[in-house]
PDB file of all heavy atoms in Angstrom:
ATOM      1  N   PRO N 131     -19.526   6.147   6.113  1.00 90.00           N
ATOM      2  CA  PRO N 131     -20.706   5.730   7.089  1.00 90.00           C
ATOM      3  C   PRO N 131     -21.901   5.256   6.276  1.00 90.00           C
ATOM      4  O   PRO N 131     -22.149   5.680   5.218  1.00 90.00           O
ATOM      5  CB  PRO N 131     -20.985   7.046   7.763  1.00 90.00           C
ATOM      6  CG  PRO N 131     -19.803   7.915   7.571  1.00 90.00           C
ATOM      7  CD  PRO N 131     -19.046   7.539   6.429  1.00 90.00           C
ATOM      8  N   ASP N 132     -22.477   4.173   6.794  1.00 88.00           N
ATOM      9  CA  ASP N 132     -23.628   3.489   6.188  1.00 88.00           C
ATOM     10  C   ASP N 132     -23.348   2.746   4.976  1.00 88.00           C
ATOM     11  O   ASP N 132     -24.158   1.920   4.498  1.00 88.00           O
ATOM     12  CB  ASP N 132     -24.737   4.524   5.903  1.00 88.00           C
ATOM     13  CG  ASP N 132     -25.267   5.219   7.181  1.00 88.00           C
ATOM     14  OD1 ASP N 132     -25.114   4.694   8.170  1.00 88.00           O
ATOM     15  OD2 ASP N 132     -25.599   6.463   7.047  1.00 88.00           O
ATOM     16  N   LEU N 133     -22.196   2.995   4.364  1.00 94.00           N
ATOM     17  CA  LEU N 133     -21.912   2.215   3.175  1.00 94.00           C
ATOM     18  C   LEU N 133     -20.931   0.978   3.436  1.00 94.00           C
ATOM     19  O   LEU N 133     -21.235  -0.100   3.208  1.00 94.00           O
ATOM     20  CB  LEU N 133     -21.116   3.059   2.147  1.00 94.00           C
ATOM     21  CG  LEU N 133     -22.072   3.825   1.110  1.00 94.00           C
ATOM     22  CD1 LEU N 133     -21.104   4.480   0.068  1.00 94.00           C
ATOM     23  CD2 LEU N 133     -23.023   2.904   0.413  1.00 94.00           C
ATOM     24  N   THR N 134     -19.769   1.302   4.015  1.00 96.00           N
ATOM     25  CA  THR N 134     -18.860   0.361   4.453  1.00 96.00           C
ATOM     26  C   THR N 134     -17.831   0.872   5.459  1.00 96.00           C
ATOM     27  O   THR N 134     -17.456   2.039   5.419  1.00 96.00           O
ATOM     28  CB  THR N 134     -17.991  -0.220   3.199  1.00 96.00           C
ATOM     29  OG1 THR N 134     -17.098  -1.175   3.788  1.00 96.00           O
ATOM     30  CG2 THR N 134     -17.354   0.838   2.392  1.00 96.00           C
ATOM     31  N   GLN N 135     -17.525   0.073   6.429  1.00 97.00           N
ATOM     32  CA  GLN N 135     -16.686   0.520   7.555  1.00 97.00           C
ATOM     33  C   GLN N 135     -15.414  -0.397   7.623  1.00 97.00           C
ATOM     34  O   GLN N 135     -14.738  -0.409   8.680  1.00 97.00           O
ATOM     35  CB  GLN N 135     -17.328   0.506   8.904  1.00 97.00           C
ATOM     36  CG  GLN N 135     -18.407   1.694   8.930  1.00 97.00           C
ATOM     37  CD  GLN N 135     -17.722   3.209   8.972  1.00 97.00           C
ATOM     38  OE1 GLN N 135     -17.142   3.482   9.963  1.00 97.00           O
ATOM     39  NE2 GLN N 135     -17.696   3.839   7.892  1.00 97.00           N
ATOM     40  N   THR N 136     -15.233  -1.069   6.510  1.00 98.00           N
ATOM     41  CA  THR N 136     -14.064  -2.108   6.579  1.00 98.00           C
ATOM     42  C   THR N 136     -13.352  -2.048   5.255  1.00 98.00           C
ATOM     43  O   THR N 136     -13.873  -1.956   4.201  1.00 98.00           O
ATOM     44  CB  THR N 136     -14.732  -3.408   6.726  1.00 98.00           C
ATOM     45  OG1 THR N 136     -15.422  -3.499   7.902  1.00 98.00           O
ATOM     46  CG2 THR N 136     -13.618  -4.576   6.762  1.00 98.00           C
ATOM     47  N   VAL N 137     -11.991  -2.191   5.286  1.00 98.00           N
ATOM     48  CA  VAL N 137     -11.160  -2.236   4.211  1.00 98.00           C
ATOM     49  C   VAL N 137     -10.319  -3.530   4.263  1.00 98.00           C
ATOM     50  O   VAL N 137      -9.667  -3.854   5.241  1.00 98.00           O
ATOM     51  CB  VAL N 137     -10.142  -1.008   4.115  1.00 98.00           C
ATOM     52  CG1 VAL N 137      -9.367  -1.145   2.819  1.00 98.00           C
ATOM     53  CG2 VAL N 137     -10.839   0.325   4.265  1.00 98.00           C
ATOM     54  N   ILE N 138     -10.569  -4.273   3.152  1.00 98.00           N
ATOM     55  CA  ILE N 138      -9.762  -5.491   2.988  1.00 98.00           C
ATOM     56  C   ILE N 138      -8.633  -5.255   2.039  1.00 98.00           C
ATOM     57  O   ILE N 138      -8.748  -4.874   1.033  1.00 98.00           O
ATOM     58  CB  ILE N 138     -10.620  -6.745   2.593  1.00 98.00           C
ATOM     59  CG1 ILE N 138     -11.699  -7.102   3.562  1.00 98.00           C
ATOM     60  CG2 ILE N 138      -9.738  -7.936   2.180  1.00 98.00           C
ATOM     61  CD1 ILE N 138     -12.648  -8.261   3.136  1.00 98.00           C
ATOM     62  N   LEU N 139      -7.392  -5.471   2.547  1.00 98.00           N
ATOM     63  CA  LEU N 139      -6.261  -5.444   1.742  1.00 98.00           C
ATOM     64  C   LEU N 139      -5.850  -6.883   1.331  1.00 98.00           C
ATOM     65  O   LEU N 139      -5.586  -7.652   2.172  1.00 98.00           O
ATOM     66  CB  LEU N 139      -5.024  -4.854   2.491  1.00 98.00           C
ATOM     67  CG  LEU N 139      -5.162  -3.557   3.179  1.00 98.00           C
ATOM     68  CD1 LEU N 139      -3.939  -2.938   3.727  1.00 98.00           C
ATOM     69  CD2 LEU N 139      -5.781  -2.405   2.194  1.00 98.00           C
ATOM     70  N   THR N 140      -5.909  -7.139  -0.003  1.00 98.00           N
ATOM     71  CA  THR N 140      -5.674  -8.501  -0.383  1.00 98.00           C
ATOM     72  C   THR N 140      -4.964  -8.543  -1.808  1.00 98.00           C
ATOM     73  O   THR N 140      -4.695  -7.549  -2.343  1.00 98.00           O
ATOM     74  CB  THR N 140      -6.858  -9.404  -0.286  1.00 98.00           C
ATOM     75  OG1 THR N 140      -6.539 -10.690  -0.431  1.00 98.00           O
ATOM     76  CG2 THR N 140      -7.935  -9.028  -1.262  1.00 98.00           C
ATOM     77  N   ARG N 141      -4.840  -9.796  -2.317  1.00 98.00           N
ATOM     78  CA  ARG N 141      -4.380  -9.939  -3.630  1.00 98.00           C
ATOM     79  C   ARG N 141      -5.077 -11.209  -4.346  1.00 98.00           C
ATOM     80  O   ARG N 141      -5.636 -12.038  -3.513  1.00 98.00           O
ATOM     81  CB  ARG N 141      -2.878 -10.212  -3.619  1.00 98.00           C
ATOM     82  CG  ARG N 141      -2.551 -11.504  -3.014  1.00 98.00           C
ATOM     83  CD  ARG N 141      -1.103 -11.832  -2.889  1.00 98.00           C
ATOM     84  NE  ARG N 141      -0.626 -11.852  -4.184  1.00 98.00           N
ATOM     85  CZ  ARG N 141       0.821 -11.906  -4.430  1.00 98.00           C
ATOM     86  NH1 ARG N 141       1.625 -11.980  -3.330  1.00 98.00           N
ATOM     87  NH2 ARG N 141       1.254 -12.109  -5.649  1.00 98.00           N
ATOM     88  N   ALA N 142      -5.124 -11.092  -5.573  1.00 97.00           N
ATOM     89  CA  ALA N 142      -5.619 -12.367  -6.274  1.00 97.00           C
ATOM     90  C   ALA N 142      -4.541 -13.435  -6.246  1.00 97.00           C
ATOM     91  O   ALA N 142      -3.394 -13.131  -6.204  1.00 97.00           O
ATOM     92  CB  ALA N 142      -6.001 -11.996  -7.714  1.00 97.00           C
TER      93      ALA N 142
END
Side-chain angles (χ1 to χ4, degrees):
D132 301 330
L133 272 185
T134 174
Q135 289 291 286
T136 303
V137 183
I138 293 178
L139 307 184
T140 189
R141 66 181 299 171

